[in-house]
Amino acid sequence: EAKTEEAKAEEPKEPEVPKKNYDEERQKLIKQGLQFLATHEVGHTLGLRHNFKLSSLYSLDELNDPVKTAEYGYAGSIMEYLPVNIMPKGMPQGDYSPTKLGQYDYWVIEYGYKPFGKGTDGELEDLKKIAEQQTRPELNYATDEDCYGMSADPLVNVFDLGKSPLEYAKLRARLVKEILPGLNDRIIKEGESYSKMRARFAALLSWHGSGMTFAARYIGGIHVNRDFKGDPNSRPPFEVVAAQDQRDALAFLNEEVFGVDSYNIPANIYNYLAPNRWRHWGSKVSSRYDLDIHGSVLSWQTAILGRLFSSATLSRLADSQLRVGPDQDVFTSAELVESLTTAIFKELESLKEGKFSIQNQAIRSVRRNLQRIYYEMLADAALNSTSSTAGEADFYALARLQLSRIRTNIQAVLSGNAELDPYTKAHLSELETRITQTLDASITRSL
């Protein structure tokens, strides 16, 4: 029944969100960014190194709470590399960049510059009392050599935000999904080149991909602590990332990077990704003016797979089974590769029937590319028995098992009742042949 006007009037109303003055917001963003940059660099002149662990001091909700961040800003240290803090629609928006020193910054300056006025022995004892506070969460520390390459700790990143890098990766994916539709209408003004569209699209794809890297670092991850024995509430130097956290990260990657609907970008965007035609002496001329869309997507998928199947990740996954107690839950390389195969070849579960065409392909072209590169990685492992770590040796055996599983599922589809489109049929037939050749081939052994 329709509600009466009186009843409607008595219903609680949603609070009106005040409209922002976007010119003022833009100026605020610029001012805060410059303040952050200048303060960060002054920190270097005082001898402070980067601290890439304290972006994880506050949750996303906390760092956008002006009460919570009033005294020390929204990061534990001004010596972080921090992205501009942009929240999706419907979420509270705090400062765009930190404008205050974190507690770590005050602490480390005290250690380096506080005058004690005592002899050498007394000064050393006072310094030890300051240093032993490092176990406090707001004083955690990790610097450049802890961050780059195949570093172990998923909390140590550049340009991440929040207590959970996985949650920030999810936020990035949400933002990209919000921004992409209608991007052309919002950023290209009358009389402007469409090259700006291409630059923004590439930036969004990269922003999404770096977020996926944050999630990938959970797999085989180890929390690294610098505590000394005897420090208050000291922690062991290494703590294996919880198995469920690793599963959650992999589930997210399977959805955003390796899923059936991953990189399902609105088609009306592609024809507006124009190049910048400005050239000068010495500049590189691209081999094609239009963007290599498939290549751009595959490069990110390959990068994430490469990290998951790297020697460092596989060896840590093997070692983690020894680091945790016999009754503790543990995430393994067997679970990793089983889950990836399920996600990457998900279509094979539902292609026993149906009619497909060029316009309605059973397996999209982006997915076919991913499946090929995944097969190649498994095949390389299956044909190589030489390894330097136990994790790699196990992975080589697991790769052959997964190839057999994929071939069985392909054969079921090809012999089923589905009327496949030419691309999908050719793709699956070729994969079946190549997998058979791989499994029948001799394993390469080094002498």
Side-chain angles (χ1 to χ4, degrees):
E1 296 181 2
K3 295 182 179 179
T4 64
E5 292 299 324
E6 293 79 4
K8 290 181 180 179
E10 293 176 359
E11 287 182 346
K13 295 182 179 180
E14 291 289 332
E16 291 188 8
V17 179
K19 292 184 178 180
K20 292 184 177 181
N21 183 318
Y22 287 101
D23 286 336
E24 290 182 2
E25 289 296 310
R26 188 179 295 110
Q27 290 302 313
K28 178 181 176 182
L29 184 150
I30 295 170
K31 180 180 178 181
Q32 290 184 345
L34 288 173
Q35 187 173 345
F36 167 50
L37 174 63
T39 310
H40 176 104
E41 299 306 331
V42 168
H44 283 314
T45 70
L46 294 172
L48 275 63
R49 295 194 66 190
H50 293 134
N51 187 346
F52 295 135
K53 200 163 190 176
L54 285 179
S55 56
S56 62
L57 181 60
Y58 299 123
S59 69
L60 291 173
D61 287 338
E62 288 173 332
L63 66 85
N64 284 286
D65 181 350
V67 175
K68 182 75 175 179
T69 62
E71 186 174 3
Y72 294 111
Y74 70 64
S77 173
I78 206 75
M79 302 311 296
E80 268 274 9
Y81 279 177
L82 295 165
V84 177
N85 176 34
I86 302 290
M87 291 292 112
K89 294 177 180 178
M91 291 184 66
Q93 176 65 60
D95 286 337
Y96 297 109
S97 294
T99 59
K100 300 178 177 66
L101 298 183
Q103 293 181 66
Y104 166 85
D105 304 316
Y106 287 102
W107 174 69
V108 76
I109 287 294
E110 179 186 20
Y111 183 91
Y113 289 93
K114 182 178 180 179
F116 293 102
K118 299 178 181 178
T120 303
D121 292 341
E123 182 176 352
L124 182 60
E125 288 303 311
D126 287 335
L127 288 172
K128 284 182 178 179
K129 290 178 181 178
I130 296 174
E132 69 182 11
Q133 299 175 48
Q134 66 177 323
T135 57
R136 290 161 49 190
E138 65 272 19
L139 303 181
N140 279 334
Y141 175 72
T143 192
D144 294 69
E145 57 265 29
D146 303 307
C147 182
Y148 296 110
M150 295 302 297
S151 60
D153 196 331
L155 298 182
V156 183
N157 302 290
V158 293
F159 301 115
D160 68 332
L161 277 178
K163 193 178 293 291
S164 166
L166 176 58
E167 291 305 311
Y168 184 60
K170 293 178 180 179
L171 181 141
R172 280 197 171 192
R174 177 179 166 184
L175 273 170
V176 171
K177 289 181 175 69
E178 284 185 5
I179 294 171
L180 272 177
L183 184 64
N184 180 18
D185 296 330
R186 292 196 307 275
I187 69 170
I188 308 296
K189 299 177 182 178
E190 292 291 331
E192 286 187 335
S193 167
Y194 285 107
S195 61
K196 187 190 293 186
M197 179 73 174
R198 181 160 171 170
R200 299 299 187 274
F201 176 82
L204 285 172
L205 197 62
S206 176
W207 207 56
H208 178 277
S210 60
M212 300 308 107
T213 303
F214 300 153
R217 294 179 78 154
Y218 279 78
I219 311 302
I222 300 172
H223 295 301
V224 180
N225 304 306
R226 291 172 173 252
D227 305 355
F228 285 19
K229 186 175 182 179
D231 285 347
N233 303 310
S234 63
R235 301 155 295 186
F238 304 113
E239 298 174 291
V240 175
V241 172
Q244 190 56 51
D245 288 346
Q246 296 188 58
R247 290 190 188 102
D248 291 343
L250 182 57
F252 174 65
L253 291 173
N254 283 341
E255 177 184 347
E256 282 293 324
V257 182
F258 309 124
V260 173
D261 295 321
S262 299
Y263 300 100
N264 198 1
I265 297 165
N268 60 357
I269 285 180
Y270 294 134
N271 288 330
Y272 290 92
L273 304 179
N276 185 335
R277 296 178 180 271
W278 187 79
R279 294 287 180 265
H280 63 91
W281 182 85
S283 66
K284 185 179 179 180
V285 178
S286 176
S287 60
R288 54 185 287 185
Y289 280 111
D290 59 321
L291 180 67
D292 180 2
I293 301 166
H294 284 90
S296 297
V297 170
L298 187 62
S299 66
W300 278 109
Q301 293 172 320
T302 304
I304 299 301
L305 277 175
R307 181 175 182 92
L308 297 180
F309 288 164
S310 69
S311 174
T313 300
L314 294 172
S315 61
R316 286 184 189 131
L317 285 171
D319 291 346
S320 66
Q321 298 177 62
L322 303 178
R323 292 181 187 274
V324 303
D327 298 328
Q328 288 183 269
D329 189 15
V330 63
F331 183 82
T332 65
S333 56
E335 186 175 348
L336 169 66
V337 71
E338 183 79 15
S339 180
L340 285 172
T341 298
T342 298
I344 292 172
F345 284 91
K346 188 69 174 179
E347 293 93 336
L348 301 184
E349 298 177 4
S350 58
L351 288 183
K352 305 300 189 297
E353 56 186 24
K355 186 174 182 178
F356 301 92
S357 64
I358 295 295
Q359 291 74 28
N360 178 32
Q361 297 172 18
I363 302 177
R364 293 190 300 132
S365 57
V366 170
R367 297 283 294 163
R368 296 196 298 269
N369 280 349
L370 172 61
Q371 290 170 5
R372 290 187 193 103
I373 200 70
Y374 184 67
Y375 154 74
E376 290 172 6
M377 289 184 175
L378 293 181
D380 286 345
L383 293 175
N384 187 356
S385 67
T386 304
S387 66
S388 58
T389 68
E392 287 179 304
D394 284 340
F395 178 62
Y396 297 159
L398 291 168
R400 296 184 71 84
L401 182 65
Q402 291 303 312
L403 288 173
S404 296
R405 174 191 170 194
I406 294 167
R407 181 175 62 176
T408 298
N409 291 340
I410 288 175
Q411 289 170 342
V413 170
L414 293 176
S415 62
N417 297 322
E419 296 183 36
L420 300 176
D421 58 275
Y423 282 115
T424 299
K425 187 172 183 179
H427 167 67
L428 294 179
S429 297
E430 175 67 12
L431 271 183
E432 180 194 14
T433 299
R434 295 178 70 183
I435 290 173
T436 298
Q437 292 172 343
T438 299
L439 294 175
D440 291 344
S442 299
I443 296 176
T444 301
R445 300 182 184 276
S446 61
L447 298 177

